[in-house]
Amino acid sequence: MKEKAFYHSVLKNTLLDKTNAKARIDARTRSGFTAEKKRIHISRRAVIALAVAASLLVVGSAAAATSLFSREGYVPGRYIQKDADERQASEQAIPDVEQAITAATPKDVSYEIRMMPEIDTDGKIAEWREQMGQPAYNEADWAWVRELKPTIGDVLYDGKALYVTTYIETDRPNVFYYAADTEQQAWIASEEVSYTVPGDAMPHTLELYGENWGNEFTDHSVKVVAEGTTDAFPEEGIVTMTQRLYVADALVDDMLPTRAAVAIIDFTFTFDAAAGRSVAEDAHISIPLSGEYLISMEEWWLPDASGNVSGNAIFRNKPLNVDGVMLDAKIEYRPVGIYVTLTVKDAPENWTQYEKNSLLTAISDWLSEEPDIPFTVNGEEPQKPEHMNYGANDAIYVLLPIYPSDYASVSSLRLDLLMHRIVSANGQEPSDDWTWDFEKQGGINKSIRVSEPLATIEIPIPKN
């Protein structure tokens, strides 16, 4: 499934006028076995395609750490996907980000490899192999997996997500290549990540946004890039990280490693959490809203006159009065850039989570192929900032490619919020109460939209 479709899936399941909708979705996502979560990352074919596409994007200008207008497409995940020497050689290295990566250089690396007889204690993997028409697991056939040697690459924390690159040294990297012309075909996924901090022996789990971004290969190794999110990562102290890597038999399943595993590698290392912490105190800006806007909404699983839920999905333009609404913009000054997190701080008493989410999705322009929140630096407009999506629509995360070394040269930084809506769908001009029934009328061409100014955020810049 494409990323946009994944986001749409999340929207579909969270834009519900029900108080417990978010809790249900969050619970299903945390379980790790729902269609909503797995679709974004389980298909090796899709993962590799995404990885290739991401690697072609420009991640920033190196030569020009001082250039504020040549960093389009930069996000930490794409940046760390390239090795340090490759970043330097291609002049894409960003000094502030490189310093954060260097400061987090992992130490105390160790690992343990467990083969299938040790991990398949309930016989579920063996049962799945049989269902897929594959021969029973033979230890001798997979003995070479015991010789795999994981080594650590880069670690980067951006304030919301932790990115880890791992190299699996092997003399059979071709076996891990998708559609390999080999007797065995395998793949590696970082399916579980947890960490502990000094004074707290309880492991904390990272919610994986992607089990990996596709395996990259050299003559002697396989590279795995994993990303995990957490709302409570420490800002200092030595963190002990354990990454569980599944070595899966692709002929059994190229989607879910837990049911195709031939081995599990528990890979442990330590790093300094302070490497990614804010370089200045966070700022909060309150943004009062007023007025009435016509916005495009989707309503899913609407009950009929008898209260029965039919599964229908309806798209419509509806007026939304934002008088009394207050947004909060949390500003974090990280080595990787300036994070702006927008949430609804206050709203009228009659607003449900549905109205709050609909407002945020209208601002983030989820209807567009390229979401748009313009920002200007020193009165000039560089490229679009990057929206960071973490699987929910109760907040907007925007990462501005402005780094600590830029602060002295930035006199003004402004983020413009717009309200977006469709003005023509399949050749029709929607009226205020215009409705489109997906089930009866099919899909909508949502390419013709308009935007209205909503509010402007002046972002303060720390000065030494």
Side-chain angles (χ1 to χ4, degrees), residues 32-76:
F33 294 97
T34 68
E36 288 87 348
K37 178 185 177 187
K38 300 308 290 186
R39 285 178 185 170
I40 187 62
H41 68 276
I42 55 179
S43 169
R44 296 183 71 221
R45 189 173 308 172
V47 165
I48 292 172
L50 285 172
V52 171
S55 68
L56 296 176
L57 293 175
V58 177
V59 298
S61 167
T66 57
S67 172
L68 304 176
F69 304 96
S70 56
R71 296 165 178 170
E72 188 167 2
Y74 161 82
V75 293

Side-chain angles (χ1 to χ4, degrees), residues 2-65:
K2 295 181 180 179
E3 282 192 31
K4 183 182 177 186
F6 170 70
Y7 302 158
H8 185 273
S9 174
V10 176
L11 288 169
K12 179 179 74 173
N13 288 284
T14 52
L15 288 183
L16 300 173
D17 192 5
K18 301 221 170 64
T19 57
N20 64 341
K22 185 178 185 299
R24 291 205 318 272
I25 299 301
D26 286 351
R28 292 208 305 266
T29 301
R30 281 194 299 270
S31 71
F33 294 97
T34 68
E36 288 87 348
K37 178 185 177 187
K38 300 308 290 186
R39 285 178 185 170
I40 187 62
H41 68 276
I42 55 179
S43 169
R44 296 183 71 221
R45 189 173 308 172
V47 165
I48 292 172
L50 285 172
V52 171
S55 68
L56 296 176
L57 293 175
V58 177
V59 298
S61 167

Side-chain angles (χ1 to χ4, degrees), residues 251-328:
L251 297 178
V252 172
D253 198 322
D254 69 350
M255 295 175 65
L256 194 61
T258 53
R259 64 187 181 191
V262 294
I264 289 178
I265 305 174
D266 288 317
F267 185 45
T268 302
F269 52 89
T270 64
F271 65 94
D272 191 346
R277 69 182 174 188
S278 295
V279 301
E281 186 175 350
D282 296 347
H284 280 271
I285 300 173
S286 295
I287 306 113
L289 305 181
S290 62
E292 184 171 278
Y293 295 82
L294 188 64
I295 68 173
S296 303
M297 297 178 170
E298 289 195 40
E299 299 176 359
W300 297 81
W301 301 315
L302 299 179
D304 59 23
S306 303
N308 298 317
V309 177
S310 65
N312 249 7
I314 294 177
F315 174 89
R316 69 178 74 198
N317 281 351
K318 292 180 63 175
L320 184 68
N321 191 307
V322 297
D323 288 344
V325 175
M326 182 79 73
L327 298 179
D328 175 74

Side-chain angles (χ1 to χ4, degrees), residues 51-52 54-57 59-60 62 78-94 98 154 165 167 216-218 223 225:
V52 171
S55 68
L56 296 176
L57 293 175
V59 298
R78 295 181 195 143
Y79 186 85
I80 203 171
Q81 196 170 18
K82 295 182 179 293
D83 297 335
D85 56 352
E86 183 181 0
R87 297 191 295 264
Q88 297 290 346
S90 60
E91 296 189 342
Q92 293 176 338
I94 301 172
E98 291 297 329
D154 292 328
T165 60
Y167 297 87
E216 297 179 12
F217 313 91
T218 69
K223 180 181 179 182
V225 182

Side-chain angles (χ1 to χ4, degrees), residues 119-289:
I119 62 178
D120 191 30
T121 55
D122 57 4
K124 294 294 184 182
I125 300 177
E127 181 180 346
W128 188 253
R129 292 186 69 89
E130 183 178 356
Q131 290 182 22
M132 295 300 292
Q134 293 299 312
Y137 170 83
N138 185 326
E139 182 79 14
D141 293 339
W142 295 95
W144 60 272
V145 173
R146 288 192 180 275
E147 304 304 317
L148 297 178
K149 181 182 178 181
T151 59
I152 191 66
D154 292 328
V155 173
L156 178 64
Y157 180 62
D158 69 0
K160 180 64 178 179
L162 181 75
Y163 307 89
V164 179
T165 60
T166 306
Y167 297 87
I168 313 297
E169 295 181 5
T170 176
D171 60 357
R172 303 190 186 191
N174 58 320
V175 174
F176 294 92
Y177 186 76
Y178 181 73
D181 186 19
T182 54
E183 187 174 327
Q184 292 178 320
Q185 293 181 25
W187 60 296
I188 299 177
S190 178
E191 186 71 6
E192 300 170 27
V193 180
S194 63
Y195 66 91
T196 58
V197 296
D200 182 4
M202 179 66 68
H204 301 271
T205 301
L206 289 178
E207 298 286 353
L208 285 179
Y209 180 66
E211 67 185 23
N212 65 58
W213 290 359
N215 300 152
E216 297 179 12
F217 313 91
T218 69
D219 291 339
H220 54 80
S221 70
V222 179
K223 180 181 179 182
V224 180
V225 182
E227 174 185 346
T229 60
T230 175
D231 293 324
F233 199 76
E235 294 283 307
E236 59 182 17
I238 301 301
V239 174
T240 300
M241 180 72 59
T242 299
Q243 183 180 20
R244 178 156 290 181
L245 299 161
Y246 283 73
V247 182
D249 185 344
L251 297 178
V252 172
D253 198 322
D254 69 350
M255 295 175 65
L256 194 61
T258 53
R259 64 187 181 191
V262 294
I264 289 178
I265 305 174
D266 288 317
F267 185 45
T268 302
F269 52 89
T270 64
F271 65 94
D272 191 346
R277 69 182 174 188
S278 295
V279 301
E281 186 175 350
D282 296 347
H284 280 271
I285 300 173
S286 295
I287 306 113
L289 305 181

